Amino acid sequence: MLEHSEKPTASANWINLQKTLGKSKRKLHDTVEKSRKKRRLNSGMHNRSSVNSTALTGAEPVTTASGGKDLKKWGELKAALQQMVLGHLELTEGHKEPGKYLAVDCEMVGVGIDGSESSLARVSVVNFHGATILDEFVRQKERVVDYRTQWSGIREKDMIEAKPFEDVQQKVADLLRDRILIGHAVYNDLKALLLSHPRPSTRDTQYYAHKHSLTKTNRPALRNLVKQELDITIQSGEHSSVTDARATMAIYRLHKKEWEKGARSSAANSFTSEVVAQTNIDSHTAAKASIGHHPSGNLVKAKVKANISVPSGSDRKGVSSGISTVVKHSGVKNIRGRKSAVIDTKPKPSAAKDWWKELPGGSLQAPGGSKLRLTLSP
């Protein structure tokens, strides 16, 4: 018999059983914790990869059966575009190629009296994924009065390795040829570059934002549009033409599906106008040939109704980006009495040169038949 003061001792089998159960509990707890950590890690990796894959593949936000936006896909696209504007995406070599779409942005410096005249100083071109395709500083031919650093971000040291304007212009022209040009108030950039680009191949985010009622004003600032559509801030300090070009591309990509519908209809209208213009030109040429005038020579046909400039000696339907030319147009009536635009390349004598020699005896015949005497003072 055991006394009440003595405690019962556990058997060896009981002790082994408790040790086994304890190990099992700890093993089960560790397994559960590892499973939880793995799920959290996979969830985080999925979220990051979804943002990057959306940006890299250029996926468009899908619509639901009711025609509304898929908010999840829309949010993923906006998140990817935010990272693209900030330059935080890691791109593959394939996504660093120029591709079909290019966005351009330029920065200016001040020349002339008090720096009031703008001169092109930097050009940046990015592709659909935000990769920098070209970023060049332009050498100035005049003394720079104001670098406008607080806006342009350009300093005097940036001009040390700047390239001549003609070289940069040619590079941009070669890049834009046969591609879709994206820009914000892009006509200003083309004007600074002295380049032209076919209207059907141009997407101006300033114009489309107003056309599709994103803004009330017809000239929204890029920083305001980016803040409204992507909820990020740009141009808070010194500007970067690379960041601005990426922001412009991001705005376009966000609304690409909707904007392209309008662009295709505009292109169809432009094609119709071109066909009408070409028909008029062909009929005019045939009429001239019937009365003994050959269409070749000093007169070069120009398409007037299509709003497309055609260089001399070219028979292309559209004009890719290239150096702009200045031509002088004159109206010539055809046999039907309609005016056709022509480019007269024949040099004309100056009307001011030796004009007094045209006056017989120093007199000028007035329309009414009376003569006007002209006296030259010494």
Side-chain angles (χ1 to χ4, degrees), residues 45-235:
M45 292 179 63
H46 173 72
N47 292 337
R48 289 193 295 272
S49 63
S50 63
V51 170
N52 289 335
S53 62
T54 302
L56 293 177
T57 59
E60 300 299 328
V62 298
T63 55
T64 61
S66 59
K69 294 176 182 177
D70 187 326
L71 297 181
K72 182 179 179 181
K73 292 291 185 181
W74 187 259
E76 290 178 353
L77 179 61
K78 288 185 68 173
L81 294 177
Q82 288 173 349
Q83 298 301 311
M84 185 187 81
V85 174
L86 299 175
H88 294 168
L89 288 180
E90 295 183 2
L91 303 177
T92 63
E93 291 300 322
H95 290 99
K96 294 179 181 179
E97 297 297 324
K100 180 180 179 181
Y101 302 89
L102 291 177
V104 64
D105 189 79
C106 300
E107 298 294 346
M108 307 289 194
V109 293
V111 298
I113 300 176
D114 297 329
S116 58
E117 298 181 17
S118 296
S119 177
L120 180 67
R122 184 183 181 185
V123 184
S124 299
V125 179
V126 302
N127 69 0
F128 189 80
H129 307 287
T132 303
I133 304 301
L134 181 140
D135 185 25
E136 296 283 3
F137 289 97
V138 181
R139 186 183 304 161
Q140 299 302 298
K141 297 182 179 180
E142 301 180 55
R143 185 177 70 89
V144 179
V145 179
D146 185 2
Y147 281 95
R148 304 176 185 176
T149 305
Q150 65 271 33
W151 300 293
S152 67
I154 298 175
R155 293 170 171 79
E156 185 177 359
K157 62 180 181 180
D158 295 325
M159 294 293 109
I160 296 177
E161 297 183 358
K163 304 292 179 61
F165 172 82
E166 292 78 11
D167 294 351
V168 177
Q169 181 194 48
Q170 190 62 56
K171 287 182 180 179
V172 177
D174 293 340
L175 282 173
L176 296 183
R177 185 173 292 112
D178 300 327
R179 289 188 169 95
I180 303 297
L181 170 63
I182 318 295
H184 191 81
V186 69
Y187 52 86
N188 290 327
D189 300 307
L190 291 174
K191 182 179 179 181
L193 285 161
L194 296 181
L195 293 178
S196 61
H197 199 71
R199 182 176 296 178
S201 300
T202 304
R203 307 290 184 267
D204 193 326
T205 54
Q206 186 181 72
Y207 167 76
Y208 278 96
H210 175 66
K211 179 181 179 181
H212 293 274
S213 303
L214 295 183
T215 60
K216 294 182 179 180
T217 176
N218 60 349
R219 292 185 178 181
L222 179 61
R223 62 179 180 277
N224 296 335
L225 192 59
V226 171
K227 181 64 177 178
Q228 172 185 311
E229 298 300 308
L230 295 174
D231 196 25
I232 57 175
T233 301
I234 64 171
Q235 300 180 350

Side-chain angles (χ1 to χ4, degrees), residues 236-250:
S236 57
E238 297 179 4
H239 295 194
S240 168
S241 52
V242 173
T243 301
D244 291 351
R246 286 173 177 164
T248 304
M249 180 62 78

